Amino acid sequence: MARSLYKTRNMSKPSEPVTEPDYLKAYRIMLTSRIVEEKLANLYRAGMIKGGVFLGRGQEALSVSVGIHLHRGDIFAPLIRDQAGRLAFGDTVLDTLRTYLGSQLGSMRGRDGNIHRGRPREGYYAMISHLGAMIPAVAGGLLAKRLAGEQGFVGATCIGDGGTSTGAFHEGLNAAAVDGLPLVVVVANNQYAYSTPNSRQYACADLVDKAAGYGVAGHKADGTNLLDCLQTLRKAVSAARVGGGPQLVVANLLRLVGHGEHDDFSYLDKKLKQSPVGSDCLLLAEQHIIAQGWKNIGELAEWKRETEDEVNATADRVRREPTPDPEEDDWEALSRAEYREQHTAP
Amino acid sequence: MARSLYKTRNMSKPSEPVTEPDYLKAYRIMLTSRIVEEKLANLYRAGMIKGGVFLGRGQEALSVSVGIHLHRGDIFAPLIRDQAGRLAFGDTVLDTLRTYLGSQLGSMRGRDGNIHRGRPREGYYAMISHLGAMIPAVAGGLLAKRLAGEQGFVGATCIGDGGTSTGAFHEGLNAAAVDGLPLVVVVANNQYAYSTPNSRQYACADLVDKAAGYGVAGHKADGTNLLDCLQTLRKAVSAARVGGGPQLVVANLLRLVGHGEHDDFSYLDKKLKQSPVGSDCLLLAEQHIIAQGWKNIGELAEWKRETEDEVNATADRVRREPTPDPEEDDWEALSRAEYREQHTAP
Amino acid sequence: MITYLEAIRLAQQKALATDPRVFLYGQDIGTFGGAFKATKNLSKEFPGRVIDAPISEDAIVGMAIGAAIEGARPIVEMQFADFSTCALNQIVNHAATLYYRTGVPCPIVVRLPSGGTSGGGPFHSQSMEAVYAHWPGLVVVTPATVEDAYSMLLEAVTIDDPVVFCEHKFLYYHLKADSLPETSLPIGKARIARQGRDATVVTHGAMLHESLAAARELAEDGFELEIVDLRSVKPLDTDTVLASVARTGRLLCVSEEWPWGGVTSEVIARVSSEGFGLLDVAPMRVNAKDTPVPYHPDLWSVHRPTASTIAAAARRLLQI
Amino acid sequence: MITYLEAIRLAQQKALATDPRVFLYGQDIGTFGGAFKATKNLSKEFPGRVIDAPISEDAIVGMAIGAAIEGARPIVEMQFADFSTCALNQIVNHAATLYYRTGVPCPIVVRLPSGGTSGGGPFHSQSMEAVYAHWPGLVVVTPATVEDAYSMLLEAVTIDDPVVFCEHKFLYYHLKADSLPETSLPIGKARIARQGRDATVVTHGAMLHESLAAARELAEDGFELEIVDLRSVKPLDTDTVLASVARTGRLLCVSEEWPWGGVTSEVIARVSSEGFGLLDVAPMRVNAKDTPVPYHPDLWSVHRPTASTIAAAARRLLQI
Ligand SMILES: Cc1ncc(C[n+]2csc(CCOP(=O)(O)OP(=O)(O)O)c2C)c(N)n1
Ligand SMILES: Cc1ncc(C[n+]2csc(CCOP(=O)(O)OP(=O)(O)O)c2C)c(N)n1
Ligand SMILES: [Mg+2]
Ligand SMILES: [Mg+2]
């Protein structure tokens, strides 16, 4: 029988309620994310981005809720559809565009692109493509922080329904559970993995049923509902922060675009689109703000305009930036100069 | 949400009760397994076996219950401690000894050894060392049988508490669940993975809690109790056979020997040994047989003697058999002669 | 006109149609037809035999192995060759050892959409042929033409041993042929893709076409490169390579994968040790740079060998 | 007398004692002290810093990577090198690409108990150095002596890049030294393990000792083999190899791993292309046979190179 130190998974301390400013802040980030992504889609169609564009439309409420509850000293390893969470954690529109447009000034300097960007030194890990791989990495970062005597930190990472089928997901979550690490794993169940529907991805009734099998707390959220996402993530992140061990959050929602901008989403089941899971979280959040009387339509339209202007201006600026120069690149995979070698025709 | 065809996991058809002949048959196989393994331990200590010896002492009740419920046309991929299950499935004392002693006449011809033996053509898969790897292999065998239009077959494989931490376990069980394959995965939770106690291996309350997360039926058995193991496996195997999809069986017991014969088991927690989980299933089965009046002590002693004689005679015979001759070996890793090449010094 | 990709689709179609043991397993290959559409319409044409898999590369190959043991002939699609690192254990330790250990062969085909394309980046561009060739027990093929993509895939399905089928994504759409071949060289035989007298270029996959372009460039200066398309890197047809070097006396090996222990290194090692006397000058190699494959097209096009870097190397080899 | 294995233990002890960032992670390495006892007593001496892991190789390396990003210096033990196939994705795609992609180096050490021993069989005997050397972004070392096992492991911990530490199980118990070195050659430099004038043997790991034995045998006939112990296979010290071949004119490469794309192939390719003029005769290689490593001792001892097969090859090289 498991005798983990971190057995009590349901920490009682209630988390702070979500206030109007919290909600509005999250909404603005969602809005920015949506507008940046629309810009990316346009740039893609205009042939200005080489390589793929993978958008998070429909997933902003969940994603922002992850990033917004993390702060300096925490770790965040976003995944494919986490533009909103990235911005909430401190990534910028500028670096987003630099990376997609291949500016030499971007954090990845043209060596890697799009969703693979990050700044590991700032707790913002740069995902590799292989799904699941970031889970143990975040767990390890947390272990190192614990060994170094730090306190009160958490780490979060996101994954899709499809990513839960990887061995890496399983090994990483299990290892984190054994050591009771403050890891929050957020599953965006957007009903598809590329074209593959849930029915060909897993057979459990609900992905949150996996939590008990790892001995971690399980949380469900309505991924189309910003308030529910904020509340659930607040609860999960604070439970992890105070020693509750890993937390598995599962949110249902629908990806509102194709897998990537090359994908026409022909496999979408129309019934899903019409069901509650197919709602657009950004629209619902707007409606909520207006219904609450926090802002009126005009004010929201103004925010939108402002953000579009900022994004467009940034894109124009980035397009004038230098692209990476192969002559300047040192073409070295190792940090230590002595270990470098090139053995191609001399 | 998952919409698997094979959603109803609890098949109602009650399985046949375990009769006296069933029990005695299983007991005799357990006894043979125990005696063969004692012989192997002796041969190991005498330096007659090169390489490792890994015994299943204490796990015979569970293991035999797996093998005994399978028949021709089924698939069985035993693991490290399944000498009893192997014999129940049709492996012989002769081939066991041939493999351990490195006879050229053994099924592995000296190319592989000990627990890695099998006869894949007969549904008896030959494990590779990498834990978890046999689970998808059995699932794939079952898929192929289904595609070929076969019916009424099952596949079973065993794994330890430690093996449940592998990505292969997760991916294999999940993929089998998605296709509702008639796969029985039997977890022998023997409290340790080599020296690692359960507390460092997983954090769930019970490994059977994993079943819900895969959407498969979960079963618990008392691994020290032959009747319970027979009944549980009968139920699980027949549920799989009639279309109930994958079945996860978890039995608690204690490995009564070191990890391998080289291991002095110094890490054993004495309290576990004294707890019910530490009982010897073979002794308990003997007591049960006597208490039921099925056999008396003398008859059981006679069985034991007979089996020892058979095992000793077989070992003597095998020791006189030729060992593999490197000159005769074709040293080829591929079946097709045209694709073979050796590029070492000519 | 039939593209390289369509040839792969048609080979799978034919295999499904002619051999009831064949089935396909991989991510998004069913109704969707695969990330690259290499299985387009096949699930409709062959119901139940083109099966969508979860994101579980290790299980995908593991299942193929079990199916092969039971007599099936699975063709597995990895979405990208790069993700086969997650299936490596099953490929090299299970499929590749089965025959040696048990005498039972393991007829699976693992399709790896391989190699670099513009904007692919570090995780969608890798060439894994040298890795799989290192382990014993696998046949590793690298078709470079539409015809070979078709005939080698069909042949691969008939082989009792596990075949790693490295199809090159760079060739998918733009490489075209008028028709499909009736006959072809068997797997294990290299092909002289261009005859020449001055130097032998040994290559495979997308680099065949860069090498041919380099040869055209040098031909303008009056130098004739002979180009050997390996077709399969394991087995590696040393005889054909040696025979060509015997004619030309010079060897340039060109490969898209990383240099250390790659195909260029194996070919040079074999020619040097088995055909030392045939070489008039030192053999040379051109490989990708020894870094991850960069994302930005401007970096990528310098990272990999191209017609012009190959031509430059050939000029040095010819001392011109 | 200090064994090779004890040197590894002592190096880890010293690293733990002198650098608070160091911790160890792996299966059974805590109280139990590891399958081979390479961490014996260390969990007692350094409480909380020698951590038992579940059977999750991929997660083990993944966690080490995250820990390294946060400033730790993890040393990971694979129970056997063979099981690192289950961690390959994290090693080659995450650790090895981190610096190139993000500019943040990944200082992890992955210890691989490598190579064959009698009765080890196909899954407890593999040498993986050539596989890891193929991917860019890793330092791959193969200590062949007690002194190197100690000093290279200590040095590996100080390196900011990921190091794959291939320690050879065959040497664990029987290789002994009087004392531990104070100074040593840096990683990346090969060592002339024996001086000779007639031929150069390039080797590493356990094969160093088989090669030295072969050299003693040939010395009885009056031939002197020079033996280069590579020490690290990536970076590979081509200069030292070339300098030796310049002296002897003959090259024999000996490696325990499989031939295709192995260390022998890379060394021969480099010497042939960069030092062609130094070679008087064709270079040669001796490798394990291209099959899985057999279990039976009688097969195993023929599968791997030994002093006598090396001596025989050397005689052919020397045309005696
Ligand atoms: C190990 C692995 N296999 C395959 C892929 C290719 N791939 C990229 S995204 C994707 C689908 C992911 O689905 P999901 O996890 O549900 O995330 P979503 O795209 O729906 O957000 C696949 C198969 C990959 N990145 N990693
Ligand atoms: C993937 C993998 N990692 C490591 C090992 C080495 N190993 C062999 S047996 C074992 C312990 C297995 O424990 P468990 O699964 O509980 O089975 P048990 O030995 O208790 O029957 C380990 C770690 C292995 N065989 N496979
Ligand atoms: Mg999804
Ligand atoms: Mg166990």
Side-chain angles (χ1 to χ4, degrees), chain C residues 162-212:
Chain C
V163 179
V164 178
F165 191 85
C166 304
E167 51 192 62
H168 204 298
K169 300 192 299 291
F170 190 79
L171 308 176
Y172 270 175
Y173 310 103
H174 83 256
L175 204 63
K176 297 194 177 93
D178 288 325
S179 63
L180 292 173
E182 305 276 295
T183 60
S184 74
L185 277 180
I187 285 175
K189 290 272 165 272
R191 181 177 71 97
I192 306 290
R194 182 187 199 278
Q195 295 197 327
R197 59 168 189 264
D198 297 316
T200 298
V201 178
V202 177
T203 188
H204 69 278
M207 289 300 121
L208 170 65
H209 307 283
E210 300 294 329
S211 301
L212 286 168

Side-chain angles (χ1 to χ4, degrees), chain B residues 49-52 99-103 109-114 116 127-131 162-163 165-167 193-197 200-201 259 263-264 266-267 323-327 329 331-333 341-346, chain D residues 25 27-29 32 34-36 51-57 79 82-86 118-124 126 252 259-260 284-300 302-303 313 316:
Chain B
I49 294 173
K50 297 283 164 12
T99 308
Y100 274 93
L101 289 165
S103 159
R109 298 155 297 151
R111 289 173 164 199
D112 206 342
N114 50 56
H116 301 89
M127 66 175 275
I128 69 167
S129 293
H130 299 69
L131 294 168
S165 299
T166 60
Y194 206 156
S195 76
T196 305
R200 292 296 305 162
Q201 196 66 243
H259 173 65
D263 172 21
D264 65 8
S266 56
Y267 46 85
T323 51
D325 180 350
E327 300 294 312
D329 201 293
W331 293 107
E332 298 299 357
E341 46 173 35
Q342 286 291 351
H343 282 272
T344 186
Chain D
Y25 192 51
Q27 292 151 21
D28 303 295
I29 66 168
F32 190 62
F36 296 100
I51 305 174
D52 279 330
I55 306 184
S56 303
E57 281 76 9
Q79 202 153 76
D82 315 55
F83 299 126
S84 75
T85 47
C86 298
S118 180
F123 307 119
H124 293 77
Q126 294 180 31
L252 173 65
W260 204 113
M284 283 174 65
R285 53 173 158 169
V286 182
N287 281 89
K289 293 189 190 294
D290 196 36
T291 73
V293 184
Y295 159 78
H296 196 287
D298 294 350
L299 297 178
W300 175 71
V302 171
H303 182 265
R316 284 201 302 284

Side-chain angles (χ1 to χ4, degrees), chain D residues 230-270:
Chain D
L230 287 174
R231 300 179 71 248
S232 76
V233 302
K234 194 170 187 181
L236 197 159
D237 183 359
T238 320
D239 291 347
T240 297
V241 173
L242 287 172
S244 174
V245 176
R247 289 188 288 273
T248 64
R250 286 164 204 254
L251 173 66
L252 173 65
C253 293
V254 179
S255 240
E256 185 178 329
E257 80 299 354
W258 295 300
W260 204 113
V263 179
T264 57
S265 130
E266 184 63 22
V267 171
I268 292 178
R270 292 196 186 186

Side-chain angles (χ1 to χ4, degrees), chain D residues 9 47 69 74 117 140 149 167 232 241 290:
Chain D
R9 201 189 72 84
I69 291 173
T117 55
V140 184
E167 52 192 61
S232 76
V241 173
D290 196 36

Side-chain angles (χ1 to χ4, degrees), chain B residues 124-172:
Chain B
Y124 176 35
Y125 288 11
M127 66 175 275
I128 69 167
S129 293
H130 299 69
L131 294 168
M134 301 316 290
I135 296 178
V138 176
L142 297 170
L143 181 66
K145 282 171 171 284
R146 178 188 285 172
L147 290 172
E150 289 183 42
Q151 284 187 332
F153 54 85
V154 303
T157 184
C158 302
I159 190 125
D161 38 279
T164 66
S165 299
T166 60
F169 168 88
H170 174 72
E171 293 194 1

